[in-house]
Amino acid sequence: MREELMEAVDDVWAETLRHLPMSSGQEDLTREKVEFTAVVRTGDREVEKMNFGRGNNARSGIATAGGHLRIDRSAYPDIEVRKGDKFVALQRTGEPAFEVHTVDDRSHLRLICELGDA
């Protein structure tokens, strides 16, 4: 039943992504770029307050949200995701990019990545 539920969720919410492997901020040539489908949920971070300060990381308005990526491990058993890698959401307007902040590989069903803005 768990697999049927995952398939139903993926049928509705999955989108095409491009994985860009990175190492120390540079393209990692030891891992291949891969396009695949997975569930990406954005905008589910805690409510962010407006920042009108000055400085390198000051922003006027509300920052775009990161989110979470959930990859079906049975469909993509060879994908290797590391902190610092990037993903491009190919079906979204402007093809936004996200950076991997954390990778949770404890589940045998899903590889779960916390995403931030790239």
Side-chain angles (χ1 to χ4, degrees):
M1 184 158 175
R2 182 181 292 159
E3 289 179 12
E4 290 176 16
L5 179 60
M6 274 182 42
E7 288 176 18
V9 168
D10 287 359
D11 285 346
V12 173
W13 295 107
E15 58 187 277
T16 305
L17 301 165
R18 180 178 298 128
H19 176 217
L20 303 174
M22 305 294 285
S23 178
S24 301
Q26 301 294 320
E27 182 179 358
D28 184 349
L29 300 175
T30 65
R31 297 181 288 151
E32 291 191 37
K33 297 176 186 174
V34 180
E35 287 188 14
F36 63 99
T37 59
V39 176
V40 179
R41 301 301 295 155
T42 59
D44 54 359
R45 294 192 301 191
E46 293 180 20
V47 176
E48 297 184 19
K49 295 181 182 176
M50 294 179 127
N51 180 352
F52 295 103
R54 298 205 182 272
N56 290 338
N57 52 353
R59 295 179 183 165
S60 176
I62 299 174
T64 57
H68 292 87
L69 168 63
R70 292 169 176 84
I71 302 170
D72 181 350
R73 294 185 97 165
S74 64
Y76 305 101
D78 296 331
I79 194 163
E80 182 183 348
V81 181
R82 299 179 189 161
K83 181 179 178 180
D85 286 357
K86 295 183 180 178
F87 287 95
V88 179
L90 299 175
Q91 292 177 286
R92 295 185 184 204
T93 303
E95 296 185 350
F98 301 93
E99 182 176 344
V100 176
H101 286 191
T102 62
V103 179
D104 182 353
D105 62 356
R106 295 174 289 182
S107 170
H108 66 284
L109 300 173
R110 297 252 192 216
L111 186 63
I112 302 171
C113 304
E114 180 183 352
L115 303 175
D117 305 325

